[in-house]
Amino acid sequence: MFEKINGKVVKVDVGMAGGVVARSGAMLFYSGDISFAPHQIPGAQGMGGGGLMGMAGRMMAGEHERTMLAQGNGQVHYGFAGLEVHVVQMQPGASLRVEASRLLANTAGLQSSIVSVASSGGGGGGGLMGALRGAASGALTGQGMFTTQLSGHGAAVLLAHGGFLELQVGGPNPVVVDPQAFVAAYGNVQTELKTALSWRDAVGRGSGEAMQLHCVGQGVVYVQASEEKL
């Protein structure tokens, strides 16, 4: 579906892919009969209106990157800001949870939703409580409050500063990641945000990262070789 041209550009046959959803501004050039249209943000529907639920819906919309749907017959080349790209081939039964700013594109047939960063991939992360937990987690880590979850058969393209590390999750111990270096988790991976602060850190005598993302289950965690935000 997606083919890497080099470390920073991918191309895709839109017709064979059944349509492609990509972040706005990612299209570099194309050939063939291709049309582009704004793509509605998934997951935020039904959370409009006033009150706290409306506020949660507006936060979800505000933290999701604008996307465009490409349809037709031809090839499109995608890239963004000179960042490194990585293609993930999705398999039925597995899900990909990726920071919205670190998702370049995906095939349109994938099911997409927005979930709170506080939910760990097992469901139940939406709604008002998920929004409030996400707000707290996002404020602590510097991440967005919501993340994109993709599932189904297809492919997605990730973005990162400085290249990717693929960390296998599945041993007796969790894989512990700096939240600002976290890009995505693929498979049956649960995440939990924990504090690493001790009393020494609180008084300025310690060192180490204040927040850590603990990853358990079975799958792969993608980490960028940088803490720089996209």
Side-chain angles (χ1 to χ4, degrees):
M1 296 182 181
F2 291 99
E3 177 185 346
K4 288 182 65 173
I5 300 301
N6 55 37
K8 300 179 180 181
V9 178
V10 296
K11 74 173 181 179
V12 59
D13 186 308
V14 173
M16 292 183 63
V20 173
V21 176
R23 63 183 293 162
S24 181
M27 191 278 290
L28 301 177
F29 62 93
Y30 72 91
S31 61
D33 183 15
I34 306 292
S35 64
F36 298 89
H39 183 254
Q40 188 174 20
I41 297 171
Q45 299 91 333
M47 295 187 70
L52 291 176
M53 289 298 287
M55 180 182 68
R58 290 190 294 273
M59 287 190 299
M60 292 171 74
E63 295 216 3
H64 192 278
E65 299 294 334
R66 293 183 178 181
T67 53
M68 300 289 289
L69 174 64
Q71 295 178 301
N73 293 296
Q75 291 187 337
V76 181
H77 287 68
Y78 290 107
F80 189 78
L83 297 169
E84 298 288 330
V85 296
H86 181 79
V87 179
V88 179
Q89 301 293 340
M90 300 283 295
Q91 298 298 325
S95 63
L96 177 70
R97 292 165 61 88
V98 54
E99 291 297 305
S101 64
R102 293 167 181 170
L103 178 62
L104 174 67
N106 61 268
T107 51
L110 291 175
Q111 291 76 53
S112 177
S113 61
I114 301 176
V115 296
S116 164
V117 295
S119 64
S120 63
L128 178 58
M129 292 308 297
L132 296 178
R133 288 193 301 269
S137 298
L140 286 170
T141 65
Q143 291 180 303
M145 291 179 287
F146 298 93
T147 190
T148 300
Q149 179 168 288
L150 300 173
S151 60
H153 181 67
V157 184
L158 308 179
L159 290 169
H161 281 285
F164 289 84
L165 299 173
E166 296 185 36
L167 310 178
Q168 294 293 324
V169 178
N173 299 316
V175 174
V176 182
V177 177
D178 183 322
Q180 294 188 18
F182 174 81
V183 175
Y186 177 67
N188 183 24
V189 177
Q190 296 82 46
T191 58
E192 182 180 0
L193 191 66
K194 295 185 177 183
T195 179
L197 279 174
S198 67
W199 71 271
R200 292 182 182 274
D201 296 300
V203 298
R205 297 181 180 179
S207 61
E209 304 296 342
M211 303 300 296
Q212 299 175 346
L213 193 64
H214 288 232
C215 307
V216 298
Q218 295 287 332
V220 176
V221 170
Y222 296 96
V223 177
Q224 68 175 10
S226 168
E227 293 183 355
E228 187 173 352
K229 296 180 67 176
L230 274 63

PDB file of all heavy atoms in Angstrom, residues 66-83:
ATOM      1  N   ARG A  66      -5.806  18.358  11.326  1.00  0.00           N
ATOM      2  CA  ARG A  66      -6.711  18.407  10.184  1.00  0.00           C
ATOM      3  C   ARG A  66      -6.252  17.403   9.132  1.00  0.00           C
ATOM      4  O   ARG A  66      -5.053  17.270   8.887  1.00  0.00           O
ATOM      5  CB  ARG A  66      -6.739  19.810   9.601  1.00  0.00           C
ATOM      6  CG  ARG A  66      -7.370  20.847  10.512  1.00  0.00           C
ATOM      7  CD  ARG A  66      -7.433  22.200   9.837  1.00  0.00           C
ATOM      8  NE  ARG A  66      -8.071  23.196  10.679  1.00  0.00           N
ATOM      9  CZ  ARG A  66      -8.278  24.465  10.330  1.00  0.00           C
ATOM     10  NH1 ARG A  66      -7.892  24.877   9.126  1.00  0.00           N
ATOM     11  NH2 ARG A  66      -8.861  25.296  11.156  1.00  0.00           N
ATOM     12  N   THR A  67      -7.218  16.727   8.517  1.00  0.00           N
ATOM     13  CA  THR A  67      -6.878  15.680   7.558  1.00  0.00           C
ATOM     14  C   THR A  67      -7.623  15.893   6.246  1.00  0.00           C
ATOM     15  O   THR A  67      -8.679  16.536   6.196  1.00  0.00           O
ATOM     16  CB  THR A  67      -7.210  14.286   8.111  1.00  0.00           C
ATOM     17  OG1 THR A  67      -8.580  14.241   8.542  1.00  0.00           O
ATOM     18  CG2 THR A  67      -6.312  13.950   9.293  1.00  0.00           C
ATOM     19  N   MET A  68      -7.057  15.313   5.182  1.00  0.00           N
ATOM     20  CA  MET A  68      -7.645  15.360   3.851  1.00  0.00           C
ATOM     21  C   MET A  68      -7.801  13.939   3.324  1.00  0.00           C
ATOM     22  O   MET A  68      -6.921  13.093   3.525  1.00  0.00           O
ATOM     23  CB  MET A  68      -6.755  16.160   2.902  1.00  0.00           C
ATOM     24  CG  MET A  68      -6.524  17.611   3.300  1.00  0.00           C
ATOM     25  SD  MET A  68      -7.990  18.639   3.106  1.00  0.00           S
ATOM     26  CE  MET A  68      -8.101  18.732   1.317  1.00  0.00           C
ATOM     27  N   LEU A  69      -8.914  13.685   2.654  1.00  0.00           N
ATOM     28  CA  LEU A  69      -9.182  12.386   2.044  1.00  0.00           C
ATOM     29  C   LEU A  69      -8.852  12.456   0.563  1.00  0.00           C
ATOM     30  O   LEU A  69      -9.388  13.308  -0.158  1.00  0.00           O
ATOM     31  CB  LEU A  69     -10.642  11.995   2.242  1.00  0.00           C
ATOM     32  CG  LEU A  69     -11.113  10.726   1.526  1.00  0.00           C
ATOM     33  CD1 LEU A  69     -10.383   9.498   2.052  1.00  0.00           C
ATOM     34  CD2 LEU A  69     -12.626  10.559   1.660  1.00  0.00           C
ATOM     35  N   ALA A  70      -7.947  11.575   0.106  1.00  0.00           N
ATOM     36  CA  ALA A  70      -7.600  11.469  -1.313  1.00  0.00           C
ATOM     37  C   ALA A  70      -8.314  10.268  -1.907  1.00  0.00           C
ATOM     38  O   ALA A  70      -8.257   9.168  -1.342  1.00  0.00           O
ATOM     39  CB  ALA A  70      -6.092  11.323  -1.483  1.00  0.00           C
ATOM     40  N   GLN A  71      -8.984  10.476  -3.041  1.00  0.00           N
ATOM     41  CA  GLN A  71      -9.684   9.406  -3.740  1.00  0.00           C
ATOM     42  C   GLN A  71      -9.424   9.513  -5.234  1.00  0.00           C
ATOM     43  O   GLN A  71      -9.087  10.588  -5.742  1.00  0.00           O
ATOM     44  CB  GLN A  71     -11.194   9.483  -3.466  1.00  0.00           C
ATOM     45  CG  GLN A  71     -11.589   9.232  -2.023  1.00  0.00           C
ATOM     46  CD  GLN A  71     -13.071   9.368  -1.801  1.00  0.00           C
ATOM     47  OE1 GLN A  71     -13.648  10.426  -2.054  1.00  0.00           O
ATOM     48  NE2 GLN A  71     -13.708   8.305  -1.323  1.00  0.00           N
ATOM     49  N   GLY A  72      -9.579   8.386  -5.945  1.00  0.00           N
ATOM     50  CA  GLY A  72      -9.400   8.372  -7.381  1.00  0.00           C
ATOM     51  C   GLY A  72      -8.406   7.323  -7.810  1.00  0.00           C
ATOM     52  O   GLY A  72      -8.178   6.322  -7.105  1.00  0.00           O
ATOM     53  N   ASN A  73      -7.798   7.553  -8.950  1.00  0.00           N
ATOM     54  CA  ASN A  73      -6.826   6.621  -9.509  1.00  0.00           C
ATOM     55  C   ASN A  73      -5.535   7.381  -9.823  1.00  0.00           C
ATOM     56  O   ASN A  73      -5.536   8.322 -10.619  1.00  0.00           O
ATOM     57  CB  ASN A  73      -7.370   5.966 -10.776  1.00  0.00           C
ATOM     58  CG  ASN A  73      -8.543   5.049 -10.484  1.00  0.00           C
ATOM     59  OD1 ASN A  73      -8.400   4.046  -9.800  1.00  0.00           O
ATOM     60  ND2 ASN A  73      -9.729   5.421 -10.982  1.00  0.00           N
ATOM     61  N   GLY A  74      -4.468   6.948  -9.189  1.00  0.00           N
ATOM     62  CA  GLY A  74      -3.178   7.588  -9.386  1.00  0.00           C
ATOM     63  C   GLY A  74      -2.304   7.399  -8.162  1.00  0.00           C
ATOM     64  O   GLY A  74      -2.683   6.708  -7.201  1.00  0.00           O
ATOM     65  N   GLN A  75      -1.138   8.005  -8.196  1.00  0.00           N
ATOM     66  CA  GLN A  75      -0.178   7.878  -7.105  1.00  0.00           C
ATOM     67  C   GLN A  75       0.048   9.231  -6.438  1.00  0.00           C
ATOM     68  O   GLN A  75       0.169  10.256  -7.117  1.00  0.00           O
ATOM     69  CB  GLN A  75       1.159   7.334  -7.623  1.00  0.00           C
ATOM     70  CG  GLN A  75       1.102   5.879  -8.074  1.00  0.00           C
ATOM     71  CD  GLN A  75       2.476   5.337  -8.404  1.00  0.00           C
ATOM     72  OE1 GLN A  75       3.395   6.087  -8.707  1.00  0.00           O
ATOM     73  NE2 GLN A  75       2.623   4.027  -8.329  1.00  0.00           N
ATOM     74  N   VAL A  76       0.097   9.199  -5.111  1.00  0.00           N
ATOM     75  CA  VAL A  76       0.359  10.404  -4.329  1.00  0.00           C
ATOM     76  C   VAL A  76       1.626  10.178  -3.507  1.00  0.00           C
ATOM     77  O   VAL A  76       1.824   9.093  -2.935  1.00  0.00           O
ATOM     78  CB  VAL A  76      -0.818  10.743  -3.397  1.00  0.00           C
ATOM     79  CG1 VAL A  76      -0.508  12.023  -2.615  1.00  0.00           C
ATOM     80  CG2 VAL A  76      -2.101  10.918  -4.190  1.00  0.00           C
ATOM     81  N   HIS A  77       2.479  11.185  -3.440  1.00  0.00           N
ATOM     82  CA  HIS A  77       3.672  11.160  -2.591  1.00  0.00           C
ATOM     83  C   HIS A  77       3.416  12.041  -1.370  1.00  0.00           C
ATOM     84  O   HIS A  77       2.979  13.193  -1.500  1.00  0.00           O
ATOM     85  CB  HIS A  77       4.894  11.668  -3.355  1.00  0.00           C
ATOM     86  CG  HIS A  77       5.405  10.707  -4.384  1.00  0.00           C
ATOM     87  ND1 HIS A  77       4.694  10.401  -5.530  1.00  0.00           N
ATOM     88  CD2 HIS A  77       6.560   9.977  -4.434  1.00  0.00           C
ATOM     89  CE1 HIS A  77       5.391   9.529  -6.262  1.00  0.00           C
ATOM     90  NE2 HIS A  77       6.519   9.258  -5.615  1.00  0.00           N
ATOM     91  N   TYR A  78       3.700  11.496  -0.189  1.00  0.00           N
ATOM     92  CA  TYR A  78       3.463  12.199   1.067  1.00  0.00           C
ATOM     93  C   TYR A  78       4.763  12.343   1.861  1.00  0.00           C
ATOM     94  O   TYR A  78       5.611  11.453   1.879  1.00  0.00           O
ATOM     95  CB  TYR A  78       2.463  11.439   1.939  1.00  0.00           C
ATOM     96  CG  TYR A  78       1.042  11.441   1.439  1.00  0.00           C
ATOM     97  CD1 TYR A  78       0.479  10.294   0.877  1.00  0.00           C
ATOM     98  CD2 TYR A  78       0.227  12.574   1.562  1.00  0.00           C
ATOM     99  CE1 TYR A  78      -0.838  10.277   0.437  1.00  0.00           C
ATOM    100  CE2 TYR A  78      -1.084  12.563   1.124  1.00  0.00           C
ATOM    101  CZ  TYR A  78      -1.614  11.416   0.558  1.00  0.00           C
ATOM    102  OH  TYR A  78      -2.925  11.394   0.125  1.00  0.00           O
ATOM    103  N   GLY A  79       4.863  13.449   2.572  1.00  0.00           N
ATOM    104  CA  GLY A  79       5.938  13.689   3.522  1.00  0.00           C
ATOM    105  C   GLY A  79       5.556  14.910   4.327  1.00  0.00           C
ATOM    106  O   GLY A  79       4.642  15.657   3.955  1.00  0.00           O
ATOM    107  N   PHE A  80       6.264  15.164   5.437  1.00  0.00           N
ATOM    108  CA  PHE A  80       5.900  16.325   6.241  1.00  0.00           C
ATOM    109  C   PHE A  80       7.106  16.850   7.014  1.00  0.00           C
ATOM    110  O   PHE A  80       7.709  16.117   7.812  1.00  0.00           O
ATOM    111  CB  PHE A  80       4.784  15.969   7.227  1.00  0.00           C
ATOM    112  CG  PHE A  80       4.206  17.167   7.939  1.00  0.00           C
ATOM    113  CD1 PHE A  80       3.305  18.007   7.305  1.00  0.00           C
ATOM    114  CD2 PHE A  80       4.580  17.457   9.238  1.00  0.00           C
ATOM    115  CE1 PHE A  80       2.778  19.114   7.944  1.00  0.00           C
ATOM    116  CE2 PHE A  80       4.069  18.562   9.887  1.00  0.00           C
ATOM    117  CZ  PHE A  80       3.153  19.388   9.242  1.00  0.00           C
ATOM    118  N   ALA A  81       7.455  18.094   6.757  1.00  0.00           N
ATOM    119  CA  ALA A  81       8.459  18.839   7.521  1.00  0.00           C
ATOM    120  C   ALA A  81       9.810  18.145   7.595  1.00  0.00           C
ATOM    121  O   ALA A  81      10.566  18.366   8.531  1.00  0.00           O
ATOM    122  CB  ALA A  81       7.943  19.126   8.939  1.00  0.00           C
ATOM    123  N   GLY A  82      10.120  17.298   6.625  1.00  0.00           N
ATOM    124  CA  GLY A  82      11.402  16.606   6.622  1.00  0.00           C
ATOM    125  C   GLY A  82      11.557  15.570   7.711  1.00  0.00           C
ATOM    126  O   GLY A  82      12.680  15.128   8.003  1.00  0.00           O
ATOM    127  N   LEU A  83      10.449  15.122   8.297  1.00  0.00           N
ATOM    128  CA  LEU A  83      10.502  14.146   9.381  1.00  0.00           C
ATOM    129  C   LEU A  83      10.657  12.730   8.842  1.00  0.00           C
ATOM    130  O   LEU A  83      10.297  12.434   7.704  1.00  0.00           O
ATOM    131  CB  LEU A  83       9.228  14.241  10.232  1.00  0.00           C
ATOM    132  CG  LEU A  83       9.021  15.576  10.945  1.00  0.00           C
ATOM    133  CD1 LEU A  83       7.621  15.651  11.534  1.00  0.00           C
ATOM    134  CD2 LEU A  83      10.061  15.761  12.031  1.00  0.00           C
TER     135      LEU A  83
END
